[in-house]
């Protein structure tokens, strides 16, 4: 009896459960009751600068997918331009120097008669004796013997600081032996050298000599006598050096602002190890087709997008350079003079680990040569730079008009000061009838006012009576100026002295 009762109870339970299951299966589906925040959902239609973007319950349709991919490739193209401007600038120098024969470790190009406006360089000066060469460590460590009394810099292929030599370097201007090691070098490092390590095989090396009583002779002779480069393995029998005078030569060292820009960047990626650059930037370049070991060959769609991207990137760089919006970029609240090193960091850092992206573009689009010495504030030592691209009313400087500028008494330059005029298009010296589009305290015949102040005029023709203090400009050309103070005094740093703005002569 007990067994029968248990079986009856079991059958009743199973039959009841089956009925419940059957009823559940036949019941209408219940909707989820979880509240979904609108902030995490995508509407079926969104109006954006790309146009109308459409979705089926969050799933993008064909037209929307194409729009966002085109836009993504475009954004990456623009960012690649802005991030790679330093490297492209270095590549422009490499190829420009190479066009004059400086494509190996034994050839130096030198401006024996100073630099004039015929060659295209980013914002050079007309007072220094420039010497330049390309260094390549693919065959091993390089020994570099330097001349005395120079300001020398070595920067890598992505235009980052490697080291100083000369007056701002460890040899303290006496000259010395440096050893430049290739990427990843872990071999023996002999004693007797000042050691530099670069993350790239290719490196820019340039140094400035100084006029001696108005002559370039001493600086040129010192470079030719003392400057030597050779492989460490050839230290016992170094090959001879070659020096090429390129003063007055017409050649280009400036990176492209069209599609060729990406080809210049691709050349660096193929030339250098991936370890020389961070994965984020290499990933950005790879996203637009620039990747080590692969051909850069964008299809028609991608080339069209990148051609537009480089145009926007160039426009952005020009806005950042000529019309900066950065806090602290202007030296004085009531003047239009600005610094090329916003924040005073040669690494363009606003704080440890935080890059000043706009400041980096401003500098590298306008100038060259990365070293802490250019950014440091040292009273009476080195040089300071102030740029102006507009007049006292904030209007762009016009080559068809005449301007006057006043430098107050006691100009704070222990060694000398100068203005150099540059073409807005090339950021190189403005090409005029004057060989050197500049003026400064070293110019013979310049008129100094009795109170030591100076007035200078800029315009297409000289005003009568002011020919000695005139710099020529070109009608139809925009221009800008760098004021250089060599051996800057305290009055510059504490801002108790400030130059006047460019005043338009009506």
């Amino acid at each position: 009896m007990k067994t029968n009762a248990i079986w009856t109870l079991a059958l009743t339970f199973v039959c009841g459960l089956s009925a419940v299951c059957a009823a559940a299966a036949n019941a209408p589906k219940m909707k989820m009751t979880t509240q979904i925040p609108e902030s995490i959902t995508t509407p079926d239609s969104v109006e954006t600068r790309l146009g109308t973007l459409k979705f089926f319950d969050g799933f993008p349709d064909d037209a929307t997918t194409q729009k966002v991919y085109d836009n993504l490739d475009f954004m990456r193209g623009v960012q690649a331009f802005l991030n790679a401007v330093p490297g492209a600038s270095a590549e422009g120098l490499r190829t420009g120097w190479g066009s004059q024969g400086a494509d190996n470790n034994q050839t130096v190009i030198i401006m024996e008669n100073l630099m004039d406006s015929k060659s295209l360089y980013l914002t050079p000066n007309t007072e220094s004796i420039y010497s330049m060469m390309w260094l390549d460590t693919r065959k091993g460590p390089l020994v570099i013997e330097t001349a005395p009394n120079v300001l020398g810099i070595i920067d890598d292929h992505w235009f980052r600081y490697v080291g100083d030599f000369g007056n701002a370097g460890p040899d303290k201007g006496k000259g010395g032996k440096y050893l430049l090691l290739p990427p990843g070098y872990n071999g023996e490092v002999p004693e007797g050298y000042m050691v530099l390590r670069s993350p790239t095989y290719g490196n820019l090396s340039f140094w400035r000599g100084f006029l001696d009583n108005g002559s370039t002779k001493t600086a040129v002779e010192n470079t030719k006598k003392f400057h030597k480069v050779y492989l460490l393995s050839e230290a016992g029998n170094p090959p001879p050096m070659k020096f090429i005078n390129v003063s007055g030569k017409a050649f280009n060292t400036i990176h492209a602002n069209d599609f060729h820009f990406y080809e210049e960047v691709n050349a660096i990626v193929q030339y250098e190890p991936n370890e020389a650059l961070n994965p984020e930037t290499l990933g950005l370049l790879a996203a637009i087709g620039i990747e080590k070991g692969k051909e850069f060959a964008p299809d028609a769609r991608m080339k069209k997008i990148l051609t537009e991207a480089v145009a926007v990137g160039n426009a952005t760089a020009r806005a950042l350079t000529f019309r900066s919006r950065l806090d602290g970029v202007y030296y004085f609240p009531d003047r239009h003079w600005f610094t090329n090193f916003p924040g005073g960091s040669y690494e363009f850092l606003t704080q440890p680990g935080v890059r000043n992206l706009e400041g980096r573009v401003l500098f590298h689009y306008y100038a060259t040569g990365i070293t802490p010495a250019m950014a440091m504030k040292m009273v009476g030592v080195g040089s300071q730079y102030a740029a102006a691209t507009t007049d006292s009313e904030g209007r762009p400087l016009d080559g068809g008009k005449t301007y006057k500028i006043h430098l107050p008494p006691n100009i704070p330059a222990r060694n000398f000061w100068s203005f150099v005029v540059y073409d807005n298009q090339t950021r190189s010296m403005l090409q005029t009838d004057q060989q050197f589009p500049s003026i400064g305290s070293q110019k013979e015949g310049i008129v100094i006012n009795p109170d030591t102040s100076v007035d200078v005029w800029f315009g297409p023709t000289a005003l009568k009576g002011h020919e000695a203090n005139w710099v020529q400009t070109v009608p139809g050309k925009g221009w800008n100026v760098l004021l250089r103070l060599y051996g800057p005094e305290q009055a510059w740093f504490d801002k108790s002295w400030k130059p006047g703005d460019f005043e338009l002569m009506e």
Side-chain angles (χ1 to χ4, degrees):
M1 291 293 295
K2 290 182 179 180
T3 302
N4 290 338
I6 293 173
W7 275 106
T8 299
L9 181 60
L11 288 171
T12 301
F13 175 77
V14 172
C15 290
L17 183 60
S18 299
V20 171
C21 292
N26 295 324
K29 293 289 188 290
M30 298 292 292
K31 289 187 177 179
M32 293 180 63
T33 58
T34 302
Q35 186 68 32
I36 301 176
E38 289 187 6
S39 61
I40 69 169
T41 63
T42 301
D44 291 340
S45 179
V46 183
E47 297 300 326
T48 73
R49 66 177 57 197
L50 304 182
T52 303
L53 304 181
K54 295 182 178 180
F55 307 86
F56 171 68
D57 197 27
F59 189 93
D61 67 11
D62 291 347
T64 293
T65 300
Q66 189 63 53
K67 286 178 183 178
V68 296
Y69 276 135
D70 287 349
N71 183 62
L72 182 61
D73 290 339
F74 172 76
M75 289 193 302
R76 285 170 171 165
V78 173
Q79 283 302 119
F81 181 91
L82 298 176
N83 287 351
V85 159
S89 186
E91 180 66 8
L93 286 165
R94 183 186 75 83
T95 56
W97 296 349
S99 73
Q100 301 304 299
D103 57 358
N104 59 75
N105 292 325
Q106 274 69 56
T107 302
V108 176
I109 57 174
I110 183 170
M111 298 285 181
E112 294 189 22
N113 311 111
L114 302 177
M115 187 181 292
D116 61 26
S117 61
K118 287 187 178 180
S119 54
L120 298 178
Y121 278 81
L122 293 178
T123 55
N125 70 57
T126 58
E127 298 85 22
S128 298
I129 298 91
Y130 285 99
S131 298
M132 297 152 282
M133 67 182 305
W134 182 251
L135 304 174
D136 191 299
T137 61
R138 282 180 290 189
K139 292 183 179 180
L142 286 177
V143 177
I144 305 166
E145 298 185 19
T146 65
N149 192 29
V150 298
L151 275 175
I153 307 170
I154 296 177
D155 290 327
D156 75 9
H157 206 163
W158 289 108
F159 231 133
R160 297 167 303 196
Y161 174 70
V162 174
D164 290 296
F165 59 89
N167 299 354
D171 66 276
K172 304 299 182 183
K174 297 179 181 178
K177 286 186 177 182
Y178 290 79
L179 187 63
L180 180 64
L181 301 179
Y185 182 79
N186 55 12
E188 183 180 353
V189 178
E191 295 183 356
Y193 297 96
M194 290 165 277
V195 178
L196 301 172
R197 294 180 180 272
S198 173
T200 61
Y201 292 112
N203 296 271
L204 306 165
S205 179
F206 38 97
W207 58 100
R208 289 176 288 173
F210 305 98
L211 294 171
D212 182 12
N213 293 320
S215 172
T216 66
K217 182 179 179 181
T218 299
V220 171
E221 288 181 348
N222 280 347
T223 282
K224 290 184 176 181
K225 179 179 180 180
F226 294 106
H227 201 89
K228 298 179 176 64
V229 178
Y230 48 87
L231 289 169
L232 179 62
S233 60
E234 298 175 336
N237 186 28
M241 298 294 292
K242 181 179 181 180
F243 299 90
I244 302 173
N245 181 16
V246 293
S247 285
K249 298 280 185 72
F251 60 100
N252 176 44
T253 68
I254 302 173
H255 67 77
N257 286 321
D258 59 10
F259 179 80
H260 182 54
F261 175 92
Y262 299 110
E263 295 172 324
E264 292 172 328
V265 175
N266 180 61
I268 310 172
V269 171
Q270 305 308 326
Y271 195 113
E272 302 296 351
N274 277 346
E275 292 76 13
L277 200 58
N278 62 80
E280 198 72 22
T281 303
L282 285 176
L284 175 65
L285 297 176
I288 62 171
I290 297 174
E291 193 168 1
K292 190 171 184 65
K294 296 183 179 180
E295 182 184 8
F296 176 53
D299 59 20
R301 169 192 164 274
M302 193 63 176
K303 187 169 185 178
K304 180 180 179 181
I305 288 173
L306 291 179
T307 300
E308 183 183 3
V310 76
V312 173
N314 173 55
T316 305
R318 287 182 171 275
L320 296 176
T321 301
F322 295 135
R323 310 184 74 173
S324 177
R325 65 181 183 178
L326 290 173
D327 291 337
V329 73
Y330 291 94
Y331 281 110
F332 314 100
D334 60 342
R335 295 289 191 276
H336 291 83
W337 294 98
F338 61 90
T339 176
N340 302 125
F341 270 110
S345 167
Y346 76 96
E347 295 178 294
F348 309 101
L349 299 176
T350 57
Q351 56 179 280
V354 181
R355 190 83 65 199
N356 184 345
L357 297 176
E358 294 188 10
R360 183 174 62 181
V361 174
L362 187 164
F363 178 85
H364 280 287
Y365 194 77
Y366 189 63
T368 60
I370 287 296
T371 167
M374 293 178 69
M376 293 172 64
K377 296 180 179 180
M378 299 179 291
V379 176
V381 179
S383 54
Q384 286 288 301
Y385 306 82
T389 60
T390 59
D391 67 11
S392 60
E393 301 298 323
R395 297 166 297 203
L397 298 170
D398 185 337
K401 299 177 180 178
T402 297
Y403 302 84
K404 177 185 177 181
I405 191 167
H406 179 72
L407 297 181
N410 303 313
I411 299 170
R414 181 175 298 179
N415 300 325
F416 64 93
W417 61 267
S418 74
F419 286 118
V420 182
V421 179
Y422 302 104
D423 184 329
N424 283 351
Q425 284 283 8
T426 65
R427 292 91 68 212
S428 299
M429 292 184 201
L430 186 67
Q431 296 182 346
T432 68
D433 296 329
Q434 296 175 324
Q435 181 183 7
F436 302 109
S438 61
I439 193 169
S441 56
Q442 295 187 121
K443 180 185 176 183
E444 185 176 353
I446 188 173
V447 176
I448 309 295
N449 297 326
D451 64 354
T452 73
S453 68
V454 178
D455 296 300
V456 180
W457 285 261
F458 298 78
T461 56
L463 295 180
K464 188 174 181 180
H466 299 300
E467 293 85 355
N469 287 25
W470 166 69
V471 183
Q472 187 179 26
T473 60
V474 180
K477 291 293 299 177
W479 54 279
N480 64 85
V481 164
L482 271 179
L483 169 62
R484 288 175 166 88
L485 303 173
Y486 291 84
E489 301 283 14
Q490 180 62 33
W492 173 253
F493 295 110
D494 64 24
K495 300 183 181 179
S496 59
W497 182 93
K498 56 185 178 181
D501 273 334
F502 286 90
E503 300 290 344
L504 179 63
M505 306 291 289
E506 300 294 348

